[in-house]
Amino acid sequence: MIRQCLIIFGCLALGEVIVWLTGITIPSSIIGMLLLTLLLHLKAVKLEWVQGMSGFLISNMGFFFVPPGVALMLYLDLIQAELMPIVVATVVSTVLVLIVTGWTHQIFKHHGNSAE
């Protein structure tokens, strides 16, 4: 259990250090997850070493949404005032993501089939 925590929180801490040193605007938690993914892919960290803790965190993920939900309620008046731009931006960005994902899949599928 201690090793699992050290690996997961170590990757998170390393992500914090990378953001602090470089000043990039990517959240440190994302960088930490990418580092953990890289370590798992390179087999520097075995899946069994983090499986228990990651399973616990995933099964209790709902608790991590409570603070942002409460914070969202504090700005409800601002959200109501800007509801239309928020909805439009959400719909447009969702459609764009779907289109770009489809195009990307087709490009990789086409290049994958031509290599065979």
Side-chain angles (χ1 to χ4, degrees):
M1 184 71 153
I2 293 175
R3 176 172 53 181
Q4 295 176 24
C5 287
L6 286 175
I7 291 170
I8 291 174
F9 292 122
C11 288
L12 177 62
L14 193 55
E16 289 280 350
V17 170
I18 290 171
V19 167
W20 181 71
L21 288 176
T22 62
I24 58 177
T25 57
I26 300 173
S28 57
S29 57
I30 300 296
I31 294 175
M33 284 191 296
L34 290 172
L35 289 171
L36 181 59
T37 302
L38 179 67
L39 291 172
L40 287 165
H41 183 71
L42 296 175
K43 305 223 187 297
V45 172
K46 294 184 179 172
L47 181 59
E48 300 84 38
W49 294 354
V50 293
Q51 199 165 15
M53 178 60 73
S54 60
F56 171 77
L57 291 171
I58 289 172
S59 65
N60 292 295
M61 192 182 299
F63 292 115
F64 299 115
F65 288 101
V66 171
V70 171
L72 196 63
M73 289 170 45
L74 293 174
Y75 296 103
L76 197 56
D77 57 335
L78 179 63
I79 293 170
Q80 286 176 341
E82 299 295 329
L83 185 62
M84 200 58 183
I86 292 171
V87 169
V88 169
T90 302
V91 170
V92 169
S93 63
T94 300
V95 169
L96 286 175
V97 166
L98 287 170
I99 291 169
V100 170
T101 302
W103 284 345
T104 305
H105 175 72
Q106 288 178 353
I107 289 169
F108 279 106
K109 185 178 177 183
H110 175 71
H111 286 297
N113 288 341
S114 64
E116 293 174 358

